[in-house]
């Protein structure tokens, strides 16, 4: 590094800053909203902290860790479903929308947890799973019992005298079929997910009213946001006409954004969302930018935010991904939403492998540094960042090799389906090892004691054996740890609206190692430089990009020689320009 060059840049910057402060502050040309500025920390409650030794995380466990959550600097928490559930799909099959799952605790625990979050300035986002319920829900029990039961139309039934219903594909069914024949009433019922997750019939106004009442119940309790599970699928063409062959390869096009979805959302907005200081985010956003805009644009009065699947689709196979593909998708979505609408930014969640294993490099040499780089990406992009528990530490995929080790219904039924189709099971197991949702669900690694300090009992899913090296305790002590880097990055975003609202522009649009972009807001401009590879690389910054004060860097120094920047493996830098 050449010091005279840096000193020159720095003094130039000081003069420049002094000039800027003399000018009157400009009116912001963006619409500030707390849910845009907030950073969400997603907790898979089953795996965060077990307080009673049954091997399953619970609400009292979360209460114990509220100070830790606050120490991250995040300002919202989204919990995966905590309602009563037989747990076929770990809480995504709900049998009672107004009670807490026994394994997780009681309503008193919930109230205490919520109050504890609010005391710490943390808002709470509730998962709302209403495309389907559990088959153990009272509504379904009634509905199933006879054709003339008042609850019959709460679900989609196809009487067998109409013949076999047209094929519908199912995400989790062990035969891949979404219609299940039920001899009790000689009819088929629809389940896009597992057979124990029958789809609710949103055409029925009573169903919609039930859902809105449930949402009001939780809003009255003080929750601040709703994450609407699989919501793009709720509206269906109930004639169930034939779909073109191979439709399941573009499922969001055929299942998403059904004919009455917007009508349902307007009702939800009128009855619930407009009545409280809450926001709602839908999982899924159709299959085009127009679909997504139609959900979240500010004049729509529907939702406040959406998350699309295109970003997370990149790298979702053993073939991995190229940087061009990754950058292309994020850049297209950013520019499509630069003027209106709002999206979320995330690289992992409970349906995905661990972020560092999928997008970074989880080898001992590069795990920590690439994890910091990925967190720099999430926390410097436009959109509300969703940070998944454990990704602040660089937790990695777990290496299961036998199907008996998996717990996830998607893995177990997927295995049965592959077997019955005569698939190559070695390939299947290899893919599962990388992509399984269980990778992202292993217990939180708190310390180096038994079970990583997660539980005194037998954890419901094994703890990753790297917990003695990757855990909160160790990282608390190390100023340079992933955890402390994450905290610095969160602080930086919170202190600088440019990272939330600033315009985004890519530099080096074709570079295969370095993802670089600028953010700009009013007079201010920053550059974000991310080396997505395990090789050092030199890039030449454009003449008009003069690097100034470095805001954050996951290495000790910046090697800048004139406009030539030499980046270390997985280096990430944010600097003023
Ligand atoms: O996921 C909906 C969804 O589209 C998933 O099928 C996703 O594509 C898949 O999990 C990837 O493996 C939601 C929840 O996020 C998921 O956990 C639930 O299992 C599912 O709905 C059913 O409620």
């Amino acid at each position: 590094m050449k010091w005279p060059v840096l000193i020159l840049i720095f003094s130039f910057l000081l003069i420049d800053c002094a000039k800027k402060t003399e000018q009157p502050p400009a009116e912001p040309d963006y619409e500030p909203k707390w849910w845009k500025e907030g950073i969400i920390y997603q907790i898979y409650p089953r795996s965060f902290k077990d307080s009673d030794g049954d091997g399953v995380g619970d609400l009292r466990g979360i209460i114990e860790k509220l100070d830790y959550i606050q120490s991250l600097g995040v300002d919202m928490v989204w919990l995966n479903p905590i309602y009563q559930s037989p747990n076929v799909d770990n809480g995504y099959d709900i049998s009672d929308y107004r009670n807490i799952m026994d394994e997780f605790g009681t309503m008193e625990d919930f109230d205490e947890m919520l109050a504890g979050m609010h005391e710490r300035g943390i808002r709470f986002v509730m998962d709302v799973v209403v495309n389907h319920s559990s088959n153990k829900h009272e509504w379904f029990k009634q509905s199933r019992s006879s054709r003339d039961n008042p609850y019959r139309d709460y679900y989609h039934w196809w009487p067998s005298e109409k013949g076999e219903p047209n094929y519908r594909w199912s995400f989790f069914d062990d035969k891949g079929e979404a219609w299940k024949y039920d001899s009790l009433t000689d009819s088929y019922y629809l389940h896009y997910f597992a057979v124990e997750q029958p789809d609710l019939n949103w055409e029925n106004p009573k169903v919609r009213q039930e859902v809105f009442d449930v949402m009001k119940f939780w809003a009255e309790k003080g929750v601040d946001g709703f994450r609407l599970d699989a919501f793009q699928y709720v509206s269906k063409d109930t004639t169930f006409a034939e779909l073109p062959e191979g439709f399941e390869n573009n499922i969001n096009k055929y299942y998403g954004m059904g004919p009455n979805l917007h009508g349902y959302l307007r009702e939800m907005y009128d009855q619930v969302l407009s009545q409280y200081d809450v926001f709602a985010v839908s999982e899924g956003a159709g299959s085009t930018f127009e679909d997504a805009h139609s959900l979240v644009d500010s004049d729509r009065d529907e939702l406040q935010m959406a998350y699309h699947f295109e970003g997370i689709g990149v790298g979702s196979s053993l073939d991995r991904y190229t940087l061009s593909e990754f950058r292309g998708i994020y850049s297209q979505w950013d520019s499509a939403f630069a003027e209106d609408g709002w999206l979320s930014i995330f690289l992992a969640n409970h349906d995905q492998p661990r972020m560092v294993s999928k997008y970074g490099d989880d080898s001992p040499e590069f795990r920590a540094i690439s994890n910091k780089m990925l967190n720099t990406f999430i926390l410097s992009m436009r959109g509300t960042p969703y940070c998944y528990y454990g990704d602040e530490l660089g937790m990695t995929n777990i290496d299961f090799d036998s199907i008996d080790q998996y717990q996830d219904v998607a893995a177990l039924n997927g295995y049965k389906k592959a077997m019955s189709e005569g698939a190559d099971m070695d390939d299947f197991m290899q893919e599962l090892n990388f992509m399984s949702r269980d990778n992202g669900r292993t217990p939180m690694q708190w310390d180096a004691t038994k079970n990583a300090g997660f539980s005194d009992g037998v954890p419901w899913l094994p703890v990753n054996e790297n917990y003695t090296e990757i855990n909160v305790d160790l990282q608390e002590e190390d100023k340079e740890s992933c955890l402390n880097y994450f905290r610095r990055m969160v602080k930086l975003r919170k202190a600088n609206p440019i990272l939330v609202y600033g315009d985004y522009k890519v530099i080096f649009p074709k570079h295969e190692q370095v993802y670089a972009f600028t953010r700009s807001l009013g007079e201010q401009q920053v550059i974000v430089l991310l080396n997505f590879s395990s090789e050092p690389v030199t890039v030449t910054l454009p003449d008009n990009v003069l690097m100034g004060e470095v805001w954050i860097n996951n290495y000790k120094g910046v090697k800048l020689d004139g406009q030539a920047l030499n980046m270390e493996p997985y280096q990430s830098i944010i600097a003023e320009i």
Side-chain angles (χ1 to χ4, degrees):
M1 176 167 24
K2 295 195 176 160
W3 282 107
V5 180
L6 282 184
I7 291 166
L8 199 76
I9 291 169
F10 193 58
S11 30
F12 181 75
L13 183 95
L14 287 179
I15 298 164
D16 201 42
C17 283
K19 267 194 255 155
K20 274 177 209 160
T21 46
E22 282 162 20
Q23 291 164 6
E27 279 290 302
D29 60 357
Y30 54 86
E31 204 192 346
K33 292 278 182 210
W34 60 262
W35 41 266
K36 292 183 180 175
E37 289 166 26
I39 296 170
I40 295 186
Y41 185 61
Q42 184 194 344
I43 294 177
Y44 200 63
R46 236 181 147 65
S47 303
F48 198 59
K49 173 72 186 155
D50 171 20
S51 73
D52 59 7
D54 65 356
V56 173
D58 47 46
L59 301 188
R60 299 222 67 82
I62 295 171
I63 293 170
E64 277 175 37
K65 296 296 183 185
L66 285 175
D67 288 341
Y68 171 77
I69 298 167
Q70 184 182 28
S71 80
L72 298 175
V74 297
D75 26 34
M76 293 191 246
V77 166
W78 154 31
L79 285 192
N80 294 98
I82 52 176
Y83 316 84
Q84 284 227 335
S85 163
N87 279 317
V88 169
D89 187 18
N90 290 351
Y92 281 96
D93 46 322
I94 296 168
S95 53
D96 181 349
Y97 289 91
R98 288 185 173 77
N99 272 306
I100 302 295
M101 188 191 299
D102 293 338
E103 285 173 312
F104 288 172
T106 63
M107 194 58 90
E108 287 68 44
D109 296 334
F110 174 83
D111 292 337
E112 192 180 323
M113 181 193 72
L114 186 63
M117 285 184 189
H118 286 165
E119 274 161 29
R120 290 168 179 78
I122 297 169
R123 290 183 156 104
F124 179 75
V125 182
M126 190 86 180
D127 213 320
V128 178
V129 189
V130 288
N131 172 69
H132 45 270
S133 73
S134 160
N135 60 345
K136 299 283 186 311
H137 196 292
E138 191 54 34
W139 299 335
F140 189 73
K141 290 186 192 162
Q142 294 287 335
S143 180
R144 188 183 167 227
S145 64
S146 76
R147 286 190 179 193
D148 52 16
N149 185 282
Y151 287 88
R152 185 68 171 179
D153 288 340
Y154 270 45
Y155 297 85
H156 296 284
W157 289 99
W158 184 272
S160 76
E161 60 274 17
K162 279 169 72 179
E164 260 199 43
N166 283 316
Y167 172 61
R168 285 296 180 271
W169 177 85
S170 160
F171 285 90
F172 298 158
D173 187 67
D174 58 7
K175 296 185 195 66
E177 282 171 16
W179 287 110
K180 170 78 181 164
Y181 178 71
D182 189 17
S183 60
L184 195 63
T185 54
D186 190 24
S187 307
Y188 300 80
Y189 70 85
L190 187 73
H191 64 93
Y192 278 179
F193 294 90
V195 76
E196 299 89 349
Q197 293 169 296
D199 282 44
L200 284 160
N201 175 12
W202 274 70
E203 288 292 282
N204 182 347
K206 287 194 200 141
V207 167
R208 303 201 294 274
Q209 197 54 53
E210 298 268 16
V211 171
F212 303 148
D213 289 348
V214 164
M215 291 174 78
K216 285 185 219 165
F217 171 84
W218 292 100
E220 290 294 332
K221 279 194 159 285
V223 312
D224 307 284
F226 297 104
R227 178 258 184 199
L228 304 177
D229 182 71
F231 200 78
Q232 60 174 335
Y233 306 141
V234 297
S235 170
K236 285 141 183 134
D237 168 4
T238 50
T239 65
F240 295 107
E242 199 173 337
L243 295 177
E245 205 176 320
F247 74 88
E248 60 272 27
N249 299 322
N250 193 353
I251 207 67
N252 290 343
K253 178 168 169 202
Y254 292 97
Y255 280 11
M257 308 299 296
N260 294 320
L261 188 75
H262 293 301
Y264 302 159
L265 281 171
R266 298 231 172 92
E267 282 180 26
M268 182 187 288
Y269 185 86
D270 288 346
Q271 286 211 37
V272 189
L273 303 178
S274 63
Q275 304 299 312
Y276 303 87
D277 186 17
V278 293
F279 82 97
V281 52
S282 71
E283 185 202 23
S287 51
T288 62
F289 296 141
E290 290 69 36
D291 285 346
H293 271 299
S294 71
L295 293 169
V296 297
D297 278 1
S298 43
D299 61 353
R300 297 287 304 183
D301 288 347
E302 292 188 23
L303 296 170
Q304 288 66 45
M305 207 191 294
Y307 64 88
H308 64 87
F309 284 123
E310 249 198 292
I312 209 75
V314 176
S316 286
S317 81
L318 289 167
D319 299 337
R320 312 302 290 262
Y321 70 102
T322 64
L323 185 58
S324 294
E325 183 191 2
F326 183 93
R327 178 180 42 223
I329 301 241
Y330 283 97
S331 302
Q332 278 164 21
W333 279 88
D334 184 88
S335 71
F337 284 76
E339 301 299 326
D340 201 2
W342 194 255
L343 301 170
S344 33
I345 286 284
F346 63 102
L347 290 178
N349 62 31
H350 63 290
D351 293 333
Q352 295 295 326
R354 279 286 167 189
M355 170 177 91
V356 72
S357 302
K358 185 171 173 194
Y359 294 109
D361 182 337
D362 63 8
S363 69
E365 192 181 357
F366 295 120
R367 182 191 55 78
I369 201 75
S370 64
N371 177 264
K372 291 175 191 171
M373 186 277 289
L374 294 169
N375 275 325
T376 313
F377 170 74
I378 299 176
L379 292 161
S380 61
M381 285 290 283
R382 183 155 37 192
T384 299
Y386 284 55
C387 304
Y388 190 52
Y389 85 97
D391 282 351
E392 73 274 30
L393 308 176
M395 277 174 59
T396 65
N397 273 3
I398 194 161
D399 191 17
F400 287 160
D401 52 17
S402 148
I403 192 68
D404 311 326
Q405 292 168 292
Y406 290 91
Q407 293 272 346
D408 179 18
V409 63
L412 301 177
N413 284 352
Y415 182 86
K416 283 189 205 153
K417 183 165 175 269
M419 282 285 270
S420 67
E421 285 167 353
D424 180 326
M425 293 315 282
D426 287 341
D427 285 358
F428 179 88
M429 289 304 291
Q430 235 188 313
E431 182 90 22
L432 195 63
N433 176 278
F434 178 54
M435 279 305 293
S436 165
R437 309 195 298 177
D438 281 336
N439 280 312
R441 299 176 176 185
T442 60
M444 177 69 169
Q445 295 167 201
W446 294 105
D447 56 40
T449 66
K450 187 180 150 217
N451 298 330
F454 162 70
S455 169
D456 294 336
V458 181
W460 73 277
L461 195 64
V463 172
N464 195 314
E465 45 187 49
N466 61 20
Y467 76 92
T468 49
E469 285 117 61
I470 306 171
N471 64 58
V472 173
D473 241 23
L474 274 178
Q475 296 200 15
E476 286 287 6
E477 287 159 22
D478 174 6
K479 279 209 328 240
E480 304 304 323
S481 65
C482 290
L483 174 60
N484 284 318
Y485 183 89
F486 178 79
R487 287 177 173 141
R488 283 203 291 282
M489 196 54 227
V490 165
K491 227 186 216 161
L492 195 63
R493 186 177 179 99
K494 300 297 300 174
N496 292 286
I498 187 172
L499 294 177
V500 179
Y501 296 109
D503 281 341
Y504 158 99
K505 194 163 164 250
V506 169
I507 310 178
F508 319 130
K510 296 205 170 83
H511 206 288
E512 274 306 337
Q513 280 170 274
V514 177
Y515 188 168
F517 55 90
T518 56
R519 305 286 315 267
S520 46
L521 190 65
E523 296 283 292
Q524 197 181 30
Q525 235 191 326
V526 296
I527 186 166
V528 180
L529 292 141
L530 309 163
N531 181 358
F532 265 71
S533 81
S534 56
E535 301 294 326
V537 56
T538 301
V539 287
T540 306
L541 298 175
D543 288 343
N544 61 346
V545 173
L546 293 177
M547 247 170 94
E549 189 190 345
V550 173
W551 282 7
I552 198 161
N553 178 7
N554 61 353
Y555 279 79
K556 286 240 168 350
V558 174
K559 290 188 188 163
L560 184 68
D561 184 358
Q563 289 300 83
L565 176 71
N566 183 248
M567 297 190 75
E568 303 287 356
Y570 296 109
Q571 184 163 21
S572 53
I573 302 168
I574 304 182
E576 272 197 87
I577 53 173

